[in-house]
Amino acid sequence: MAFDVVVVAYNSSGYLPRLASSLQGAGVPRSVVIVDNASIDNSVGVARRQDWGGSLNVIQNPRNVGFGAAMNQGVKSLERGSEFVLLINPDVQLEPQTVPSLLAALISDDQLACVGPRMETSDGQAVSSARALPTLWTVASRRVRELVPHNVQVMDVGWVCGAVMLWRRQAFEQIGGFSPDYFLYYEDVDICRKAWHAGLKIATVAEAKAVHDQGHGKAPSKLLRKYSSSSRRIYAKKWLGPCGSVAAFVAEFAEEVARRKHSKAGPSK
């Protein structure tokens, strides 16, 4: 079954060769679009030197427009695209059965808009792959409910991680793609909630697995934490109303208190 691939790159030269290699092992894509968000590490040059299996189109943005906006660019550039489009981070490595398993799940259920795999890091640590949609309580308490398929092959979930998403392209376009309101973080939660709101479904697939080195293996910087907090506020207000804004404020306050306590405690010995 034919599929297209969209990758958003940002200083991702160290990961693109691994992704290209794993894509060929997972099934030959019809085409691959690399949207580069103004990298300064020659990600574009590295991307062009790889054998992606299908035809390659590289889009170079003069500035970083954010993850969701760049993904939308990539999908829109697929003029005569396949029925299915794989949205994937550069720091992901696919196993051979990943894409075939995801495709089989989408084909088996017309109501499914998007599916995602189970993920782990390069050293085998579990990575958050699918969760329930946030509520007022989970936002305020900074808690999440992980959803892992145990006794079923395909399990409906609130949302799947944006690092690897296989979308039915018609569904992606029907709900307007990613919201431009988010620069980074929560855009995957938002788009999945939009799908559910439109009467579609989101699911995770048990036998589909992938390696994801979150954040290119680095701890979140102060800037990334700022983006996360900002996106949480946007999401909470949009989907949970005025009470959602209060919940997001409570979460930020708790995080600030925790950081100050940690700062006063100093480094562990």
Side-chain angles (χ1 to χ4, degrees), residues 75-76 78 167-177:
V75 175
K76 188 176 181 179
L78 298 167
W167 278 89
R168 196 182 301 276
R169 185 177 177 185
Q170 181 180 12
F172 183 89
E173 294 174 342
Q174 175 188 335
I175 61 177

Side-chain angles (χ1 to χ4, degrees), residues 70-220:
M71 276 295 182
N72 289 346
Q73 272 185 283
V75 175
K76 188 176 181 179
S77 74
L78 298 167
E79 295 180 358
R80 293 186 298 275
S82 305
E83 182 181 356
F84 306 104
V85 57
L86 180 69
L87 311 182
I88 189 166
N89 276 15
D91 57 356
V92 167
Q93 181 179 10
L94 298 172
E95 294 192 355
Q97 85 283 1
T98 306
V99 174
S101 296
L102 294 176
L103 283 169
L106 276 184
I107 293 169
S108 69
D109 187 346
D110 290 341
Q111 289 301 110
L112 271 178
C114 171
V115 290
R118 293 186 296 122
M119 294 185 290
E120 59 184 31
T121 61
S122 297
D123 58 2
Q125 300 297 311
V127 173
S128 178
S129 307
R131 293 176 173 177
L133 288 170
T135 64
L136 287 172
W137 164 249
T138 59
V139 170
S141 62
R142 299 176 296 144
R143 296 179 183 274
V144 297
R145 184 158 68 91
E146 305 286 352
L147 300 176
V148 181
H150 292 295
N151 301 318
V152 293
Q153 170 58 20
V154 179
M155 184 176 76
D156 290 351
V157 296
W159 61 283
V160 294
C161 178
V164 188
M165 296 175 131
L166 182 66
W167 278 89
R168 196 182 301 276
R169 185 177 177 185
Q170 181 180 12
F172 183 89
E173 294 174 342
Q174 175 188 335
I175 61 177
F178 288 104
S179 170
D181 294 336
Y182 306 88
F183 182 82
L184 188 63
Y185 300 121
Y186 279 85
E187 64 280 294
D188 45 6
V189 193
D190 181 273
I191 194 174
C192 290
R193 189 152 193 160
K194 286 198 296 183
W196 280 108
H197 192 69
L200 302 170
K201 300 195 299 183
I202 307 295
T204 185
V205 182
E207 68 180 24
K209 293 176 62 180
V211 171
H212 178 214
D213 294 305
Q214 287 180 295
H216 292 194
K218 299 178 182 178

